[in-house]
Amino acid sequence: MKLLTQESIIKNQVDTIEQFKVLAYLKKQLSIDDFTVYLVDRFTIKVIDKNKEQGYFKYNIKTKSVDFYEKNIKNKEMER
């Protein structure tokens, strides 16, 4: 897991296209500055708010959308 700095978030510096799409979604839907953001895997970004609540946003290749999970779920279906 890799912590993203504010500069990395602003410059969209992620490792994969799927992470880029998730980050773009988060920037559009949330006030991303209020969260700590981590790259988890090729498809997933983890966010933690100021209350230490966490969530996982994962790019779904089949539906071409971003899905939200309260827990990190390893789903091999999404990796195909």
Side-chain angles (χ1 to χ4, degrees), residues 18-77:
E18 293 85 5
Q19 290 171 347
F20 176 84
K21 291 177 181 182
V22 174
L23 184 59
Y25 172 86
L26 292 173
K27 286 174 152 183
K28 185 177 178 181
Q29 301 296 327
L30 303 173
S31 178
I32 195 85
D33 297 335
D34 296 336
F35 294 92
T36 304
V37 181
Y38 294 91
L39 301 179
V40 177
D41 61 28
R42 179 178 166 199
F43 299 97
T44 311
I45 291 181
K46 175 182 177 180
V47 295
I48 302 174
D49 69 11
K50 62 183 177 182
N51 297 321
K52 304 295 183 208
E53 297 290 330
Q54 62 186 13
Y56 295 84
F57 292 85
K58 187 167 196 158
Y59 185 74
N60 186 319
I61 291 177
K62 288 184 178 181
T63 63
K64 306 218 182 306
S65 64
V66 176
D67 299 327
F68 171 76
Y69 300 93
E70 288 187 31
K71 296 181 181 179
N72 189 12
I73 298 174
K74 295 286 183 186
N75 187 345
K76 297 298 179 191
E77 287 285 316

